[in-house]
């Protein structure tokens, strides 16, 4: 009789499984998955990732998507008039910007798949060497636009501005050097300073000769912050800051047009039709926007008044069309993006990961501040685009490359341990699992949990179930039961391998009186207290002790156990 419940339980489990398998076959495997089952992508990217790591990652992705969509909208609004008049299509710049975003996202996806271990190999120096060659090629074969030589024509690619891609390469190389000194300790301080100087100064010299002082300022400021995060002493940081300020002042005042930009900041209205032309128009655009703006598409400065309205000065169009409230929301989203990037950096288990994520986040922040403060007239305008918003191919792809590096750090912030490897080899019990040929229908092939048995088929201290009352009687082949297993039986836990038949057994009241006489086999028998709560009050009716029998020396107290 002990085997019948197991056969019934197995049949009740297998029948729905056969129906589900037939339904899966009819629908081509597109039936809804069981609860708790993940797809392959979800298992790889979501399952098992702690919330503290997943939360900043999702925030970063959401803010990045919002900024890219907002940038497309504002590029179309700011460039539609110029595109229609010069190219015959109001969506000319919009379509090109969408293509640049797609190319940048593809590059970001590739970078997010490259392990950090590969980035700290010799491949980083090969990439650094390639960028230096491109910067030199710009000086030799570059095209001069507006008095600056920053672009080079490449086959199958077209125009390319290597200085935008030098930003991410310098960050990765500098992080590799600092990782080797602080974490691996494979180089000494002298070698670290020499390698870091070569890594930063050589490309900066080529960029200055273009000339592109704004990009030099952004790269130098980012590497300076990375050195601070790495753990440079305050004396060394102060010395580097002083030397950098002196070098910057020399470069600014050694050029007439750079000095004119500095003096224009103090009073742009002194020459409103000369050096202060763009600055005054940007101020007028912000002033006309007011609190809530004129509305998207209703800007007047984009009608050939403000030069580069869809590029360097797109923030002025945002202020005119969306007003103070729209600009404040835009600033808040960008600040949240930077915060998520720095949070990802703080969760990286390696020095290299922390420096790459923090360096990319700081670089985005510095370029944002350079553009914003320049348009607002706080600092000289350097001509740097607004990250993820301004129109431009190399700039957009370079910024998305930084985002891809941040995502790579986030994906490696949850390292696998030896315990994860052991858990991956576990097998669990469940309904609808595959069964080996000729095996027990309640057993998963290769399971480490053993065969599934309904509770009614178990032997407890020489007793087995004999009827539907839940009481036990002597049985053959009974196995001794340990203390912990006896406690499970005493409490009647259904989570240790029971089925519907067992639950029905536990909930059935005895049909012939409240007491049954049976042979004692120990102090941990399973007692049926009945389905009615009133039957569980032991103070009613005659009682039988199970804590030591009638021997007063074995009684444990007035309330029993």
């Amino acid at each position: 009789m002990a085997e019948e419940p197991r056969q019934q339980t197995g049949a009740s489990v297998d029948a729905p499984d056969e129906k589900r398998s037939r339904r899966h076959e009819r629908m081509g495997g597109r039936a809804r998955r069981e609860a708790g089952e993940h797809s392959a992508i979800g298992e790889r990217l979501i399952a098992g990732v702690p919330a503290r790591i997943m939360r900043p990652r999702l925030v970063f992705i959401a803010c990045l998507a919002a900024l890219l969509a907002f940038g497309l909208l504002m590029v179309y609004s700011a460039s539609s008039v110029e595109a229609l008049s010069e190219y015959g299509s109001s969506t000319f710049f919009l379509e090109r910007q969408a293509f640049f975003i797609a190319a940048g996202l593809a590059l970001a996806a590739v970078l997010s798949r490259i392990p950090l271990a590969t980035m700290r190999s010799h491949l980083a120096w090969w990439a650094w060497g390639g960028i230096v060659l491109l910067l030199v090629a710009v000086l030799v074969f570059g095209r001069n636009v507006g008095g600056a030589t920053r672009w080079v024509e490449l086959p199958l690619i077209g125009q390319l501005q290597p200085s935008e891609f030098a930003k991410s390469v310098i960050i990765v190389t500098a992080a590799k050097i600092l990782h080797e000194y602080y974490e691996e300790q494979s180089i000494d301080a002298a070698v670290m300073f020499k390698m870091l100087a070569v890594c930063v100064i050589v490309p900066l010299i080529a960029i200055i000769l273009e000339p592109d002082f704004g990009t030099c300022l952004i790269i130098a400021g980012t590497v300076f912050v990375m050195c601070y995060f790495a753990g440079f002493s305050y004396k060394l940081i102060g010395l580097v800051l002083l030397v950098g300020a002196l070098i910057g002042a020399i470069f600014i005042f050694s050029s007439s047009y750079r000095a004119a930009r500095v003096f224009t900041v103090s009073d742009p209205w002194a020459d409103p039709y000369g050096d202060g032309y763009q600055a005054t128009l940007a101020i007028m655009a912000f002033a006309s926007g007011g609190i809530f703006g004129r509305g998207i598409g209703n800007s007047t400065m984009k009608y050939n008044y403000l030069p580069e309205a869809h590029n360097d000065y797109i923030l002025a169009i945002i202020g005119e069309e969306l007003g103070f409230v729209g600009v404040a929301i835009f600033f808040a989203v960008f600040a949240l993006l930077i915060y998520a990037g720095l949070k990802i950096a703080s969760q990286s288990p390696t020095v290299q990961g922390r420096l790459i994520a923090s360096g990319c986040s700081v670089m985005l922040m510095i370029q944002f501040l350079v553009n914003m403060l320049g348009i607002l007239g706080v600092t000289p305008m350097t001509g740097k685009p607004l990250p993820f918003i301004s129109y431009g191919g190399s700039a957009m792809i370079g910024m998305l490359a930084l985002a891809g590096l941040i995502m790579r750090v986030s994906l490696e912030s949850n390292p696998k341990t030896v315990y994860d490897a052991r858990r991956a080899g576990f097998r669990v019990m469940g309904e609808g699992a595959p069964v080996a040929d000729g095996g027990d229908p309640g057993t998963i092939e290769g399971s480490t949990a053993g065969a599934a048995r309904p509770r009614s088929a178990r032997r407890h201290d020489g007793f087995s179930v004999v009827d539907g009352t839940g009481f036990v009687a002597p049985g053959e082949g009974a196995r001794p039961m340990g203390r912990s297993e006896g406690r499970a039986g005493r409490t009647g836990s259904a989570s240790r391998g029971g089925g519907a038949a067992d639950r029905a057994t536990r909930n059935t009241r005895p049909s012939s009186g409240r007491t049954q006489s049976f042979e004692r086999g120990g102090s941990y028998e399973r007692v049926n207290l009945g389905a009615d709560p009133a039957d569980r009050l032991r103070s009613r009716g005659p009682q039988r002790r199970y804590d030591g029998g009638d021997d007063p020396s074995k009684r444990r107290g007035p309330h029993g156990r």
Side-chain angles (χ1 to χ4, degrees), residues 378-421:
V378 179
T379 60
M381 189 64 187
T382 60
K384 293 293 98 183
L386 195 63
F388 307 120
I389 306 296
S390 296
Y391 171 81
S394 298
M396 177 62 71
I397 297 175
M399 293 297 103
L400 288 175
L402 298 177
L405 292 175
I406 295 175
M407 286 301 301
R408 178 67 251 174
V409 174
S410 177
L411 292 175
E412 293 197 19
S413 295
N414 187 30
K416 299 296 182 181
T417 63
V418 63
Y419 305 105
D420 297 319

Side-chain angles (χ1 to χ4, degrees), residues 234-270:
Y234 288 102
K235 293 182 179 180
L236 183 58
I237 290 175
L239 178 62
V240 172
L241 184 61
L242 179 60
V243 173
L246 291 176
I247 295 176
I250 292 173
F251 275 101
I252 289 175
F253 293 102
S254 63
S255 175
S256 58
Y257 79 91
R258 294 195 189 105
R261 288 184 178 181
V262 173
F263 293 120
T264 300
V265 173
S266 60
D267 188 9
W269 300 98

Side-chain angles (χ1 to χ4, degrees), residues 9-43:
T9 305
S12 63
V13 171
D14 290 340
D17 283 343
E18 294 178 0
K19 295 179 181 179
R20 280 199 298 269
S21 61
R22 289 195 298 267
R23 186 164 60 250
H24 274 249
E25 293 177 359
R26 288 195 305 266
M27 300 182 64
R30 290 178 293 180
R32 186 171 56 185
R33 294 179 178 273
E34 295 292 330
E37 186 179 356
H38 301 287
S39 64
I41 298 178
E43 189 72 27

Side-chain angles (χ1 to χ4, degrees), residues 70 291-293 318 322-331:
F70 179 69
I291 300 297
F292 298 103
I318 295 175
L322 299 181
F324 174 80
V325 174
V327 172
I329 295 175
F330 166 62
F331 286 177

Side-chain angles (χ1 to χ4, degrees), residues 303-322:
Y303 286 89
N304 296 327
Y305 289 103
L306 181 63
E308 302 294 335
H310 60 287
N311 197 344
D312 300 342
Y313 280 84
I314 194 171
L315 183 60
I317 305 300
I318 295 175
E320 184 181 6
E321 294 187 351
L322 299 181

Side-chain angles (χ1 to χ4, degrees), residues 325-348:
V325 174
V327 172
I329 295 175
F330 166 62
F331 286 177
V333 174
F334 200 92
L336 187 59
L337 175 80
I338 301 301
Y339 171 79
L342 294 176
K343 189 68 175 179
I344 290 173
S346 66
Q347 294 173 347
S348 176

